[in-house]
Amino acid sequence: MNPLKPSLIEKNNSFFGQLLFLVVLIATGLLIFFKLNYLLSSLLGAITIYFLFRKVAFYFIEQKHWKPILVSLMIVVGMLAVVGVLGYFVVNILVGEIPVIDIQLITANLTEFVKDINEKVGFSLISSDLISEATNFISGIASSLIDTSYMFVVNLLMMFFILYFMFLNGRSIEKTLLSYAPIQGENLALIKNEVKNMVFGSAVGIPIIMIVQFVVAAIGYGIAGVDRFFFFAFL
């Protein structure tokens, strides 16, 4: 019997196992993209937060011997508190500054404006259908804002739901995914490092840039004497 044959069989099994995993992964990704694409941001957000806090979670679980369920709840509740404070801050700014849009008043003013133009030129330069289309457009914007707010809340809740189970089974999830990775060794370590740098660059760099832009804009608007400069800097 050839002693190399069992080793060759094991390598082939490993190869086909990795290939099967890739096929399932691609199929799952396509399913999520085409059927659940509105929840894709929840998964990406959960992965980002997981990368940011995984070392903290593993420290308490493995070094301090805290229960995984306790650590998961601690991180999720903490993130919920942060989002709640930021959400309260944003809502107060928007509700306090953005006036209530009276669609009927806008329609009446637009109708009067169109009427004046048509009377001055002596013929129907602007069709009355334009007013109806404009009204529908404004109503559509209001409905879109409501739908967007609803989807944001749904995605946020789903993100924390996914995040809880990611922290609860972090090591086992990572071990399973890495065992089916088509590359190993230094190449895998290089990719892991690059992904970590990308996540940290996006999750930390973008908010920092946003805050700097807000501060600079607020100072600029304030010096220029713009009313409600804090609100416009926030926008």
Side-chain angles (χ1 to χ4, degrees):
M1 181 180 294
N2 189 350
L4 297 179
K5 191 174 181 179
S7 177
L8 183 61
I9 294 176
E10 291 177 0
K11 289 182 178 181
N12 289 335
N13 290 338
S14 177
F15 170 77
F16 285 114
Q18 293 173 355
L19 183 62
L20 178 62
F21 173 76
L22 286 177
V23 171
V24 173
L25 185 64
I26 293 173
T28 304
L30 292 175
L31 177 64
I32 293 175
F33 182 79
F34 289 109
K35 299 297 183 180
L36 301 174
N37 56 351
Y38 62 94
L39 294 177
L40 185 61
S41 58
S42 302
L43 178 61
L44 297 178
I47 293 174
T48 300
I49 297 176
Y50 176 81
F51 269 98
L52 292 176
F53 291 97
R54 63 183 294 275
K55 287 186 177 180
V56 176
F58 292 153
Y59 170 77
F60 283 104
I61 293 174
E62 298 173 355
Q63 302 295 328
K64 297 296 183 179
H65 303 291
W66 288 21
K67 293 184 177 180
I69 187 172
L70 178 61
V71 176
S72 300
L73 286 174
M74 180 179 66
I75 295 177
V76 170
V77 171
M79 292 300 301
L80 277 172
V82 172
V83 171
V85 172
L86 292 177
Y88 178 79
F89 176 74
V90 171
V91 169
N92 276 346
I93 291 179
L94 296 181
V95 172
E97 295 291 345
I98 295 181
V100 178
I101 299 177
D102 190 341
I103 297 179
Q104 293 182 349
L105 180 60
I106 294 176
T107 303
N109 291 334
L110 184 60
T111 303
E112 188 67 24
F113 176 73
V114 171
K115 181 181 178 181
D116 291 340
I117 291 180
N118 290 337
E119 289 178 353
K120 288 180 180 180
V121 298
F123 61 93
S124 181
L125 178 64
I126 302 177
S127 172
S128 58
D129 294 337
L130 180 62
I131 301 175
S132 176
E133 293 176 2
T135 303
N136 293 334
F137 176 74
I138 296 173
S139 301
I141 292 177
S143 300
S144 177
L145 289 174
I146 295 174
D147 293 340
T148 301
S149 301
Y150 169 75
M151 289 307 303
F152 175 77
V153 173
V154 171
N155 275 276
L156 197 64
L157 294 176
M158 181 60 66
M159 182 189 72
F160 286 119
F161 178 79
I162 297 172
L163 188 64
Y164 168 78
F165 287 100
M166 289 183 70
F167 281 119
L168 189 65
N169 305 286
R171 287 296 188 192
S172 60
I173 292 175
E174 291 184 14
K175 183 178 179 181
T176 301
L177 292 176
L178 292 177
S179 66
Y180 286 101
I183 57 176
Q184 299 292 334
E186 295 182 359
N187 291 331
L188 180 60
L190 180 62
I191 292 178
K192 287 170 59 179
N193 187 61
E194 289 296 328
V195 170
K196 183 179 69 174
N197 291 336
M198 290 174 58
V199 171
F200 272 87
S202 299
V204 178
I206 292 177
I208 291 176
I209 294 174
M210 177 188 67
I211 294 172
V212 171
Q213 289 177 336
F214 167 77
V215 172
V216 173
I219 294 173
Y221 289 144
I223 293 175
V226 176
D227 293 334
R228 299 181 297 173
F229 67 90
F230 188 80
F231 169 71
F232 288 109
F234 173 79
L235 292 181

